[in-house]
Amino acid sequence: MMSPAVLTRRAAPVLACIGLLAVWQIASLALKNDSFPTAVEAVRAIPDILGDKESLTNILDSLRRMAIGFGVAVLVSIPLGLLMGRSRTVAAFFNPLLMVIYPVPKAALMPIIMLWLGVGDVTKTLVIFLGVSLPVIYHSFEGAKAVEEKMLWSGAAMGLSPAQRLVRIVLPAALPEILTGCRTGLVLALITMITSEMIARQSGAGNILFNALDMGQYDTVFAMIIIVGAMGICLDAIFERIRARLVRWSEPQFDMPLSFS
Amino acid sequence: MTSQEPASAIIEIDRVSQVFQTSARKDHLALSDISLTIEEGAFVSILGPSGCGKSTLLYIVGGFVNPTSGAAKMKGRAITGPGPDRGPVFQEFALFPWKTVLGNVMYGPRQQGVRTAEAEAQGRALIEMVGLKGFENFYPKELSGGMKQRVALARTLAYHPEVLLMDEPFGALDAHTRTRLQNDLLNIWERDRKTVLFVTHSVDEAVFLSDKVVMMSKSPGRIRQVIDIDLPRPRRRNELLLDPRYQKYVVNIERMFDESDEAGAPT
């Protein structure tokens, strides 16, 4: 049996979603606008999209690009960020570079990248890669910088070489911070994925969405927004589970009884 | 120098000076011309006010900091970096938070290629020795300060350093925990009488634990005096506190620090 408190906590997100859909439904009925379908109409369009083989292929293509862009970005950014955090020379070299790239919207680089690499997978994956890299580099950098010097000294006394200290002390010690960056990166991957497909239309979830918009199929537009949103929520929830498991040693204990009443 | 060169010197510090650059880009002489010999198996405390460079001196012996001039030697060989022959224990504990108590204690031996089963058996024995049996699978964040420092001591003892370098190890602990750890440290030390270099600013602690107390003064950090503590071992706290010889050491050392404060301080 679940206690009422636990039950409420579990049910809360579901209730929030139902509430949101209800507000949408009422607003849509009240406004009576062609470009604002009701929630029921939008939800009804979802099975049509997911049941259509071409649409499904498009969505899976998007997810594949996102996974590759995110994966490569994480693999490159974590070592770079950690090195920057522990070596002033590396930081002095890359910091100005990143400061220039940081405020530029990655989608704004797309025209140039398209010019060089075309409108295919490579361009879109590269934009996702760029979007994910910066938060992951930044958080890895901050995490590595904050590693206690004495912890590294303790490792050095045990005979760990500088490279071993980076992998076996800096990496795990900075992991909570790194994973915070990865979580931001994951959401940015989704955003840049849709943006890239909006600019370079050809395939993908963003392509379905904006094609539907062009053709005035507003229920499909809203259904795609729900699908993309649900993808984001699911990916974030899965990632959060993995993250919590990996850094359990650093989490404050919320489940400690605060009172014994 | 008054003391003759002992045959069993394990650490020799030879005219070491350390200059730091302050944020105002001025040179600060943290250590000035320090020479000191530490004999094998001795428990030596470095005692002084904060800012006298006593921790820096310990870091130089550890190989974590390179002196601006002069040199430190371990068994006749120049110290150029950290090594498992000199095991540090820091005030900040510096445990690996992602490892359990057992994982922390096994870390050094595993690094040195000891087989997992063997490292685990030795680790469990050490954890029991420092009084933490039953906490093997706890993470550092789940432990109190005193328990963390016990783990840190076990982790360092696990890879059998010849010299223990203790940097105000009990400085962050409350008075009660502090005295308990002092007692336990002495009991552990009595078993194999490893060389210990112990940095502290507590006069009682230095006299209670040590064979030799190195008194330092600050600005610049210098050795003022080296005092041999001629008290019988094994030492029991309750006996020692009543011993007039112990009291005399404490009072004399405190008086010497007070005098230098009055002479130096522009009140």
Side-chain angles (χ1 to χ4, degrees):
Chain A
M1 277 296 283
M2 274 191 274
S3 71
V6 174
L7 213 61
T8 318
R9 221 186 307 147
R10 288 269 169 88
V14 180
L15 289 174
C17 285
I18 293 171
L20 192 67
L21 290 174
V23 171
W24 174 0
Q25 184 76 15
I26 293 162
S28 168
L29 289 172
L31 288 170
K32 288 202 175 78
N33 190 326
D34 272 355
S35 60
F36 191 19
T38 63
V40 174
E41 284 168 329
V43 171
R44 241 187 237 146
I46 294 174
D48 294 341
I49 298 170
L50 296 182
D52 180 48
K53 204 177 161 212
E54 203 192 317
S55 303
L56 204 61
T57 319
N58 270 306
I59 293 172
L60 290 177
D61 280 347
S62 292
L63 283 174
R64 193 196 60 227
R65 283 192 292 267
M66 185 181 156
I68 294 171
F70 178 80
V72 176
V74 163
L75 287 179
V76 172
S77 306
I78 294 175
L80 178 61
L82 293 182
L83 277 171
M84 283 172 60
R86 295 314 311 177
S87 157
R88 276 191 202 165
T89 322
V90 178
F93 183 79
F94 283 101
N95 251 335
L97 210 65
L98 294 173
M99 263 165 61
V100 173
I101 302 173
Y102 184 61
V104 178
K106 302 315 158 270
L109 298 173
M110 264 203 79
I112 311 170
I113 301 171
M114 276 161 65
L115 207 61
W116 291 340
L117 301 173
V119 290
D121 272 9
V122 181
T123 299
K124 288 170 193 156
T125 312
L126 185 62
V127 176
I128 296 170
F129 168 85
L130 289 173
V132 175
S133 293
L134 286 158
V136 179
I137 291 175
Y138 176 75
H139 282 275
S140 306
F141 170 63
E142 290 295 328
K145 243 191 350 187
V147 174
E148 227 186 306
E149 189 92 66
K150 305 281 164 69
M151 211 191 276
L152 293 164
W153 288 4
S154 297
M158 291 174 189
L160 272 79
S161 68
Q164 284 177 318
R165 293 202 289 274
L166 194 70
V167 177
R168 293 183 42 198
I169 295 180
V170 178
L171 176 64
L175 197 63
E177 184 72 34
I178 293 171
L179 292 180
T180 304
C182 289
R183 198 176 170 189
T184 313
L186 191 64
V187 175
L188 279 170
L190 192 73
I191 295 171
T192 42
M193 174 191 94
I194 297 292
T195 321
S196 70
E197 290 160 358
M198 180 180 90
I199 300 170
R201 297 241 202 117
Q202 192 194 39
S203 79
N207 183 45
I208 303 175
L209 204 162
F210 289 98
N211 275 344
L213 186 71
D214 288 348
M215 291 187 283
Q217 299 166 330
Y218 298 115
D219 51 349
T220 309
V221 171
F222 279 82
M224 274 314 291
I225 292 173
I226 295 176
I227 291 171
V228 172
M231 264 159 41
I233 292 167
C234 287
L235 285 171
D236 188 56
I238 294 167
F239 186 83
E240 177 54 22
R241 282 221 153 176
I242 297 169
R243 192 197 66 82
R245 178 160 286 230
L246 283 173
V247 297
R248 204 164 29 183
W249 51 267
S250 76
E251 302 282 290
Q253 287 158 313
F254 287 117
D255 50 351
M256 292 258 276
L258 293 172
S259 69
F260 298 97
S261 55
Chain B
M1 284 286 134
T2 46
S3 60
Q4 72 277 21
E5 188 75 3
S8 56
I10 186 163
I11 290 169
E12 293 157 282
I13 300 167
D14 186 23
R15 282 167 297 161
V16 158
S17 293
Q18 183 71 39
V19 179
F20 287 123
Q21 236 182 28
T22 60
S23 48
R25 301 221 162 252
K26 283 176 75 178
D27 285 347
H28 170 71
L29 188 59
L31 290 173
S32 172
D33 204 30
I34 305 272
S35 291
L36 182 68
T37 301
I38 290 157
E39 291 149 45
E40 192 155 4
F43 198 122
V44 178
S45 284
I46 305 175
L47 176 67
S50 41
C52 73
K54 55 191 189 299
S55 290
T56 307
L57 188 60
L58 193 84
Y59 301 157
I60 289 171
V61 174
F64 308 120
V65 170
N66 287 320
T68 312
S69 67
K73 283 185 199 165
M74 166 92 187
K75 288 192 158 172
R77 292 180 57 183
I79 291 168
T80 53
D85 52 345
R86 287 152 287 135
V89 177
F90 298 108
Q91 182 177 5
E92 302 89 338
F93 320 125
L95 295 172
F96 303 136
W98 62 94
K99 290 271 177 197
T100 60
V101 168
L102 185 61
N104 267 281
V105 176
M106 284 170 64
Y107 205 97
R110 290 291 298 128
Q111 172 65 23
Q112 262 123 56
V114 176
R115 286 193 349 271
T116 309
E118 199 179 322
E120 186 179 331
Q122 287 174 7
R124 287 185 186 279
L126 269 169
I127 290 165
E128 189 173 354
M129 185 172 91
V130 297
L132 286 179
K133 193 175 168 59
F135 292 94
E136 288 84 354
N137 296 320
F138 280 56
Y139 283 99
K141 67 150 190 203
E142 298 167 308
L143 306 177
S144 68
M147 292 162 91
K148 282 182 194 160
Q149 199 54 289
R150 287 170 189 274
V151 178
L153 179 62
R155 179 180 69 170
T156 301
L157 291 174
Y159 55 90
H160 307 295
E162 290 176 61
V163 181
L164 269 182
L165 302 173
M166 306 189 79
D167 179 23
E168 299 195 46
F170 310 142
L173 308 176
D174 64 78
H176 176 66
T177 312
R178 195 182 172 110
T179 51
R180 280 188 54 187
L181 269 127
Q182 287 169 357
N183 283 326
D184 290 355
L185 173 65
L186 269 195
N187 287 336
I188 291 166
W189 180 76
E190 292 287 354
R191 299 183 190 195
D192 55 3
R193 299 225 173 184
K194 253 181 221 305
T195 313
V196 179
L197 199 53
F198 190 101
V199 166
T200 178
H201 58 250
S202 158
V203 177
D204 311 83
E205 186 169 74
V207 174
F208 175 56
L209 296 172
S210 316
D211 298 318
K212 204 186 249 189
V213 173
V214 179
M215 284 177 66
M216 288 185 67
S217 56
K218 68 171 178 178
S219 323
R222 281 209 173 94
I223 293 181
R224 264 187 78 121
Q225 200 164 347
V226 179
I227 297 161
D228 287 309
I229 306 295
D230 192 13
L231 292 169
R233 289 190 191 269
R235 294 179 187 169
R236 304 265 169 270
R237 190 178 171 78
N238 48 2
E239 294 166 13
L240 213 61
L241 288 180
L242 295 169
D243 191 325
R245 290 174 295 175
Y246 167 82
Q247 294 160 355
K248 207 173 162 189
Y249 279 123
V250 173
V251 171
N252 282 341
I253 291 172
E254 279 180 354
R255 186 182 296 145
M256 277 189 267
F257 275 122
D258 285 347
E259 280 163 9
S260 71
D261 281 357
E262 276 156 29
T267 357

